[in-house]
């Protein structure tokens, strides 16, 4: 991934230096397990524990042999000597080291992403509580539907992030699997007891039946989970982009006074951060196809997956880490315009209360289809003629026959739309105490 979207901690996890550190950690754990079995002498084990791999030397050897694991082994053995080197990489095939170390990387990356998600959850939850009763219009098909609150909308975001957090925990567990089972997974040269001892040391689970590699269905599911989280971020970003449109302007991305939104138009304050997140989500989704293709390997393995994984696994983790942190900043510091939300509620001149008007007529004894058509006609007039629906209802002879002026007035009360917002908050575990500074309907 390009440096623009790489945050230091995640970048370090996927650095070449760290990968080699993990390869060496796997090799040392293998030597320790063999030593416990009485195969590796204590003197050789101590040499292996102190082993180092000079990355420059490894690259020099790789240029000669065109095989990174062989280059790693040779460069490392040079640091411990041939006598101890006889016991280095004992009974292993390259994928024993590569796949087991990759599992360690994926666990580290997952832990960082889980922490990112938890931070975003906290920020979204705080904003949901702050705006629990900040009334705005709910939209379906992009068209005004009925009133909701910004807090209610954000409680939905919060619930979705909770689900994604749970999915990532499952994906982390699914890839927390290594293998020390040899060339085609049969343990012909390294018994299952050694594998179990090594993976216990490393904090990994044993792949119950591996080939030469850990099955790539695990990695495909992991990438799909990351892409799913990216799709959630894309959904949030798209909502922000819509709400920042000039015609809506109910909330806005944070915009530092020193920022410049356009090279040509000084007035522009564009939702560029949200647009960037939508673009990166597309990139994440594209990795899912490649990860699924990697599941299909010839026989006990080929390396058609290897080149793909060198790109998509680091990039998927790096991109999502960037996206989660960017969204956290965006939600924490955005600007909300409650007054504009209230003004937008009136754009249809009361037509958004049409369902309450229809139900009031039905409850007063009018046949439902007749009530629907009556209110539909009046709501259209309210919108097109810019006359409030309340006025049209009060003037209509059919309505006056069944509804009193007080009953018509009650139709336009906002409180019924807010009645069960607190229940939604309780369901997702958000507090419902009214915070200071909240905008109350």
């Amino acid at each position: 991934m390009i440096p623009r979207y790489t945050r230091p901690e995640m970048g370090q996890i996927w650095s070449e230096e760290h990968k080699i550190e993990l390869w060496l950690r796997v090799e040392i754990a293998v030597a320790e397990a063999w030593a416990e079995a009485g195969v590796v002498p204590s003197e050789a084990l101590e040499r292996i524990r102190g082993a180092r791999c000079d990355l420059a030397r490894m690259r020099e050897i790789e240029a000669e042999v065109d095989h990174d694991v062989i280059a790693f082994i040779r460069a490392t053995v040079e640091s411990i000597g041939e006598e101890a080197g006889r016991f280095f990489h004992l009974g292993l095939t390259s994928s024993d080291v590569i796949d087991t170390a990759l599992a360690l990387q994926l666990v580290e990356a997952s832990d960082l992403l889980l922490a990112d998600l938890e931070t975003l959850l906290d920020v979204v939850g705080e904003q949901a509580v702050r705006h629990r009763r900040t009334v705005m219009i709910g939209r379906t098909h992009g068209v005004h539907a009925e009133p909701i609150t910004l807090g209610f909308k954000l409680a939905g975001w919060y619930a979705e992030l909770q689900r994604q957090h749970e999915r990532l925990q499952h994906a982390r567990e699914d890839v927390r699997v290594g293998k020390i089972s040899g060339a085609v997974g049969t343990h012909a040269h390294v018994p299952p007891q050694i594998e179990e001892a090594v993976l216990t040391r490393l904090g990994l689970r044993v792949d119950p039946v591996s080939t030469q590699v850990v099955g790539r269905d695990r990695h495909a599911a992991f990438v799909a989970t990351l892409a799913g989280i990216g799709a959630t971020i894309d959904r949030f970003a798209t909502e922000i982009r819509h709400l920042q449109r000039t015609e809506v302007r109910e909330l806005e991305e944070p915009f530092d006074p020193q920022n410049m939104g356009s090279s040509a138009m000084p007035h522009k304050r564009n939702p560029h951060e949200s647009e960037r997140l939508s673009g990166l989500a597309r990139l994440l989704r594209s990795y899912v196809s490649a990860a699924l293709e990697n599941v299909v390997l010839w026989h006990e393995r080929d390396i058609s997956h290897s080149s793909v994984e060198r790109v998509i696994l680091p990039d998927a983790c790096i991109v999502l880490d960037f996206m989660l942190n960017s969204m956290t900043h965006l939600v924490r510091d955005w600007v909300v315009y409650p007054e504009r939300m209230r003004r937008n509620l009136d754009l249809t001149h009361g037509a958004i209360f049409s369902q309450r008007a229809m139900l009031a007529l039905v409850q007063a004894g009018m046949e439902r289809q007749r009530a629907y058509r009556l209110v539909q006609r009046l709501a259209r007039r309210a919108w097109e003629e810019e006359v409030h629906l309340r006025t049209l209802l009060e003037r209509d002879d059919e309505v006056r026959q069944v509804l009193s002026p007080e009953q018509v007035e009650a139709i336009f009360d906002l409180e019924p739309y807010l009645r069960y917002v607190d229940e939604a908050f309780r369901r997702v575990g958000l507090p419902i105490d009214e915070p200071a500074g909240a905008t109350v309907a």
Side-chain angles (χ1 to χ4, degrees):
M1 179 49 60
I2 63 175
R4 182 182 183 91
Y5 304 123
T6 304
R7 300 176 71 246
E9 191 173 356
M10 186 63 83
Q12 193 276 330
I13 289 173
W14 293 103
S15 68
E16 191 74 6
E17 291 79 7
H18 187 57
K19 181 181 79 173
I20 298 308
E21 288 173 3
L22 293 177
W23 284 8
L24 191 53
R25 184 177 164 195
V26 172
E27 294 280 11
I28 291 170
V30 170
E32 289 174 339
W34 278 123
E36 286 179 354
V39 174
V40 173
S42 58
E43 301 83 6
L45 177 61
E46 289 310 306
R47 296 285 294 177
I48 291 171
R49 281 174 169 163
R52 295 291 178 268
C53 178
D54 184 280
L55 194 53
R57 176 58 180 150
M58 175 181 160
R59 287 170 177 159
E60 183 180 288
I61 298 170
E62 187 177 359
E64 171 194 338
V65 300
D66 193 27
H67 194 296
D68 55 356
V69 176
I70 290 175
F72 159 74
I73 295 169
R74 282 179 52 181
T76 304
V77 168
E78 287 178 1
S79 77
I80 62 175
E82 286 298 332
E83 183 59 31
R86 293 191 303 114
F87 301 99
F88 190 79
H89 198 71
L90 186 63
L92 305 187
T93 189
S94 298
S95 292
D96 289 326
V97 179
I98 293 172
D99 279 8
T100 303
L102 178 59
L104 294 172
Q105 280 182 298
L106 290 170
V107 167
E108 291 178 7
S110 297
D111 288 342
L112 185 53
L113 293 172
L114 285 166
D116 292 342
L117 263 173
E118 288 157 12
T119 302
L120 179 56
L121 266 164
D122 288 343
V123 170
V124 169
E126 289 166 7
Q127 291 284 20
V129 172
R130 180 174 296 116
H131 292 287
R132 179 169 124 259
R133 290 176 64 86
T134 301
V135 183
M136 66 185 298
I137 189 64
R139 298 171 172 89
T140 60
H141 306 277
V143 178
H144 285 205
E146 291 189 340
I148 60 171
T149 72
L150 177 58
F152 179 78
K153 183 190 291 286
L154 295 177
W157 290 19
Y158 188 85
E160 186 167 341
L161 289 170
Q162 287 179 320
R163 295 192 295 273
Q164 296 293 18
H165 188 275
E166 184 176 352
R167 290 177 185 126
L168 183 53
Q169 287 178 313
H170 286 310
R172 176 191 185 274
E173 185 65 11
D174 204 22
V175 294
R176 192 178 64 84
V177 168
K179 55 101 45 187
I180 306 291
S181 55
V184 289
T186 59
H187 296 94
H189 308 291
V190 53
Q193 295 85 348
I194 296 295
E195 178 181 56
E196 291 162 8
V198 170
L199 297 180
T200 298
R201 271 183 166 79
L202 297 172
L204 300 177
R205 296 185 298 117
V206 174
D207 191 350
V209 184
S210 65
T211 61
Q212 191 171 99
V213 297
V214 170
R216 260 42 196 177
D217 61 294
R218 298 179 185 274
H219 305 79
F222 180 82
V223 174
T225 300
L226 268 54
I229 298 170
T232 288
I233 299 301
D234 190 9
R235 184 172 88 82
F236 299 169
T238 300
E239 181 72 12
I240 294 165
R241 292 164 62 190
H242 281 309
L243 295 178
Q244 187 166 334
R245 285 181 297 127
T246 305
E247 296 82 357
V248 179
R249 200 166 177 265
E250 293 180 352
L251 61 78
E252 192 172 70
E253 286 188 4
F255 190 88
D256 189 278
Q258 299 304 311
N259 289 355
M260 299 175 72
S262 166
S263 62
M265 297 167 283
H267 75 279
K268 293 298 290 297
R269 293 192 300 196
N270 303 323
H272 67 275
E273 197 164 354
S274 298
E275 291 170 341
R276 180 188 300 125
L277 291 173
S278 290
L280 291 174
R282 295 171 191 169
L283 186 62
L284 266 182
R285 288 193 286 272
S286 75
Y287 292 155
V288 177
S289 176
L292 289 171
E293 294 288 343
N294 274 359
V295 175
V296 184
L297 302 177
W298 284 21
H299 305 297
E300 279 56 62
R301 84 150 311 196
D302 59 56
I303 64 163
S304 59
H305 67 291
S306 177
S307 56
V308 180
E309 287 179 356
R310 290 174 192 263
V311 176
I312 68 170
L313 292 180
D315 278 15
C317 295
I318 289 169
V319 165
L320 185 57
D321 176 54
F322 178 91
M323 292 175 69
L324 288 167
N325 281 272
S326 182
M327 181 55 73
T328 297
H329 161 70
L330 200 161
V331 175
R332 179 187 287 128
D333 298 328
W334 63 18
V335 182
V336 178
Y337 297 104
E339 299 81 7
R340 182 59 178 257
M341 292 177 176
R342 293 304 295 266
R343 287 203 300 273
N344 285 347
L345 280 172
D346 297 327
L347 287 178
T348 63
H349 303 279
I352 60 173
F353 296 92
S354 66
Q355 182 173 195
R356 278 183 57 77
M358 179 190 70
L359 292 175
L361 291 169
V362 170
Q363 289 163 4
M366 186 177 289
E367 189 269 328
R368 190 182 193 281
Q369 188 62 21
R370 179 183 170 193
Y372 185 102
R373 288 301 188 185
L374 188 158
V375 175
Q376 184 184 45
R377 172 173 54 82
L378 295 181
R380 183 183 298 122
R381 284 186 58 195
W383 206 336
E384 293 175 355
E385 299 175 17
E386 299 187 0
V387 178
H388 203 279
L389 180 61
R390 180 191 295 108
T391 301
L392 296 176
L393 288 168
E394 290 170 344
R395 292 175 181 173
D396 188 89
D397 290 339
E398 287 188 87
V399 174
R400 290 164 63 182
Q401 289 176 13
V402 295
L403 294 180
S404 68
E406 292 77 18
Q407 287 173 312
V408 171
E409 181 68 26
I411 289 169
F412 299 91
D413 182 10
L414 281 171
E415 192 57 37
Y417 297 97
L418 313 182
R419 184 181 303 157
Y420 297 113
V421 167
D422 288 357
E423 181 60 28
F425 274 57
R426 290 189 187 97
R427 287 177 175 183
V428 296
L430 285 170
I432 58 173
D433 293 338
E434 196 68 54
T439 303
V440 181

